[in-house]
Amino acid sequence: MPVRRSPHPPRRAGAGALAALVASIACASLACAPAPARAPSIAPAPLRSLRIPDGDLDRAPRTVSAAEALRDLDDARYAFEHAYAGLDGRSPSPAPSAIDRARGALRGRAAWRPDALARLLYDVFAAPDGHVAFGHGGRAPLRWEAAPQPPLPGPAPLLFASATRPSPPAAAPLMDGAPVMNGFMNGAPLVDLPLPAAPARRLIPPVELTRSADGVPVLAIRTFSSAAAAALASLPALAAELRRAPAFVVDLRGNAGGDYRFAERFALALTDAPLRALDAREVISVAAAEGRANSVRRRLARGDVPEEARPRFLEHLAAMERLAAALRARPSAAPRTEIITRGALVRGRASAPRGAGSARGVFLVDRGCASACEMLLALVRQIPGVLVAGQNTRGGMSVGEVALFRLPRSGVTISFGTRAFRDPLGDFVELRGFEPDIRLDGADPAGDAVALALRGWPAGARRRGAPSSCALR
């Protein structure tokens, strides 16, 4: 994901050779410009390796002794402290008193099953963050997470046409019949949700442009995953085509996110005006780089990356491994720094402004729209003439660039974001998501969205924090 320079001179918190090296390697790996500022660093400490051995990427977990569970708790604490971006205003790791209570609980039982240990770790570390999750792999995978799973779009899980063995969408079961643990951070208890056997999957394209009976173009974007890079590369050209229509619909239902760069390029192709970029705060550390490399390595090991996308994944993996090695070679440096960008602008890339009343766009969303999908909404909601319709989005945008860790003794896995984001208009709430401008509860939301695009802004509807003009610029 790109980090943009702020148009205002930033304040610097101590520059040096390490800062320059980190920024150059990190930005080379992410195709971004060097970031303008750094947050205060955590004091130096001995560095551990959190790289998952190749043979353990999907190995089944095991029951461990109390002593082993205590050591895994310490590794979990280290991972959060060194790699988790965290929500703004919250510490990335729990208070020492919470860790002490967890240690006492672990000592009180001779042996810990993986599911029980994962639940205890969840209780200690979980935040109201849609990307934080605990669980394990193996034959009966398990997952605890803060955000509820949205229902699957359509009658069956989707198999994207561009992938040979795709990873399931965020809402899909990890294994037929395996339990998936979900929970809510509002005081409600976590619950076990048994899953039925998955029906046959439908083969569909990740990007598809159709037209309604009224001739309104309807662009379905079902993922922003790098595995669908070939199809997603067409989005800027498709945006130009949408701009030529008097009304259009972009259907984002079920889009669980992926690479934000594809979403941003699409948004910028819809307008020639400047947009406020999302504020960003990225963790730079050995642990963060190793965790992000772990995520890529597991996808490659599972074989869910299509052959045409493998070079992109391998390039990103190599960049993360180079960054981890470069940081580890400087043991005297702080083990964690943060690169911060605030108040940046990104310029629309459309060739010319649109005249008054020339185009209206409806973005159709539901609880399946998450992460990079929600980041797209944070941009397009600034474009006059854009209406967001449907249901609340999932609420998993505030922390991204997910890293994966596996506790070496129990095999319990942890995943969380290493980069925090903030909606420039201030309307997004983690776990609640974006509220639509117009709620659609009927049996045919796609048809209702087309009708909205044709008739324009409904009387009395008012956008929160965005211009009121009804034409795309």
Side-chain angles (χ1 to χ4, degrees):
M1 297 185 187
V3 176
R4 303 279 180 181
R5 286 190 180 275
S6 169
H8 307 292
R11 294 176 58 190
R12 291 186 177 269
L18 176 62
L21 173 68
V22 167
S24 63
I25 295 179
C27 289
S29 71
L30 298 170
C32 63
R38 292 192 301 138
S41 303
I42 294 175
L47 298 179
R48 307 178 190 181
S49 175
L50 299 180
R51 185 184 189 277
I52 303 175
D54 292 341
D56 290 345
L57 286 167
D58 249 337
R59 189 185 296 277
R62 69 180 187 91
T63 298
V64 295
S65 67
E68 291 173 310
L70 283 165
R71 294 175 67 188
D72 272 359
L73 170 67
D74 190 54
D75 278 342
R77 177 201 58 78
Y78 181 92
F80 272 84
E81 181 178 299
H82 287 251
Y84 179 42
L87 299 167
D88 283 346
R90 295 174 63 107
S91 170
S93 56
S97 58
I99 297 292
D100 289 341
R101 287 194 297 271
R103 288 184 179 126
L106 291 175
R107 293 189 186 102
R109 188 184 300 181
W112 285 85
R113 293 198 331 263
D115 58 337
L117 181 57
R119 173 57 197 264
L120 181 142
L121 294 173
Y122 180 96
D123 290 341
V124 174
F125 292 96
D129 173 352
H131 280 105
V132 173
F134 291 80
H136 58 70
R139 294 178 59 84
L142 188 70
R143 183 176 176 90
W144 291 98
E145 60 181 25
Q149 294 279 3
L152 286 170
L158 305 177
L159 180 63
F160 294 125
S162 65
T164 53
R165 274 192 60 193
S167 56
L174 298 176
M175 176 172 285
D176 293 357
V180 171
M181 304 293 189
N182 302 303
F184 300 85
M185 296 302 298
N186 301 324
L190 290 130
V191 294
D192 251 341
L193 298 180
L195 292 167
R201 293 177 175 180
R202 296 177 290 128
L203 186 66
I204 62 169
V207 175
E208 185 175 24
L209 179 61
T210 58
R211 291 188 178 272
S212 71
D214 301 304
V216 174
V218 178
L219 177 64
I221 309 175
R222 300 182 173 102
T223 184
F224 287 115
S225 170
S226 295
L232 295 171
S234 67
L235 288 179
L238 292 172
E241 185 170 344
L242 296 181
R243 279 172 55 85
R244 291 192 289 269
F248 63 84
V249 172
V250 178
D251 188 347
L252 297 171
R253 290 175 297 168
N255 186 325
D259 189 334
Y260 170 58
R261 287 174 290 187
F262 294 114
E264 184 186 56
R265 290 165 190 160
F266 176 64
L268 296 183
L270 286 172
T271 182
D272 75 316
L275 303 177
R276 293 170 58 189
L278 285 81
D279 292 342
R281 177 170 49 81
E282 180 180 10
V283 176
I284 301 296
S285 68
V286 172
E290 287 183 340
R292 287 163 64 181
N294 288 338
S295 293
V296 178
R297 290 168 53 239
R298 186 170 68 168
R299 289 199 66 182
L300 291 167
R302 285 178 168 180
D304 62 8
V305 176
E307 195 61 34
E308 64 271 19
R310 282 183 65 84
R312 184 184 184 90
F313 279 75
L314 291 171
E315 179 182 359
H316 180 65
L317 173 60
M320 288 298 99
E321 291 179 338
R322 286 196 305 271
L323 177 58
L327 294 172
R328 190 177 292 280
R330 285 164 171 73
S332 62
R336 167 180 172 142
T337 59
E338 292 184 351
I339 298 178
I340 299 175
T341 302
R342 303 270 190 234
L345 296 176
V346 286
R347 184 79 194 184
R349 297 170 184 167
S351 58
R354 305 296 293 173
S358 62
R360 294 181 298 273
V362 173
F363 281 68
L364 179 60
V365 299
D366 64 1
R367 293 293 292 178
C369 173
S371 194
C373 179
E374 293 172 308
M375 297 171 82
L376 171 65
L377 293 181
L379 292 180
V380 300
R381 292 175 77 254
Q382 302 175 54
I383 302 175
V386 165
L387 181 70
V388 178
Q391 306 296 322
N392 276 43
T393 61
R394 183 168 183 258
M397 182 190 81
S398 295
V399 189
E401 296 282 4
V402 174
L404 171 71
F405 304 97
R406 184 180 189 274
L407 302 180
R409 298 151 198 93
S410 63
V412 169
T413 56
I414 305 169
S415 58
F416 54 68
T418 60
R419 198 169 179 197
F421 301 95
R422 184 184 297 164
D423 169 32
L425 297 184
D427 295 330
F428 178 84
V429 177
E430 188 75 1
L431 300 190
R432 186 208 70 182
F434 282 111
E435 293 183 347
D437 301 314
I438 301 296
R439 193 167 293 275
L440 300 178
D441 296 312
D444 182 18
D448 294 340
V450 168
L452 274 176
L454 285 171
R455 71 173 181 257
W457 202 272
R462 183 174 180 272
R463 283 285 299 281
R464 297 172 300 280
S468 59
S469 168
C470 291
L472 285 176
R473 178 175 173 182

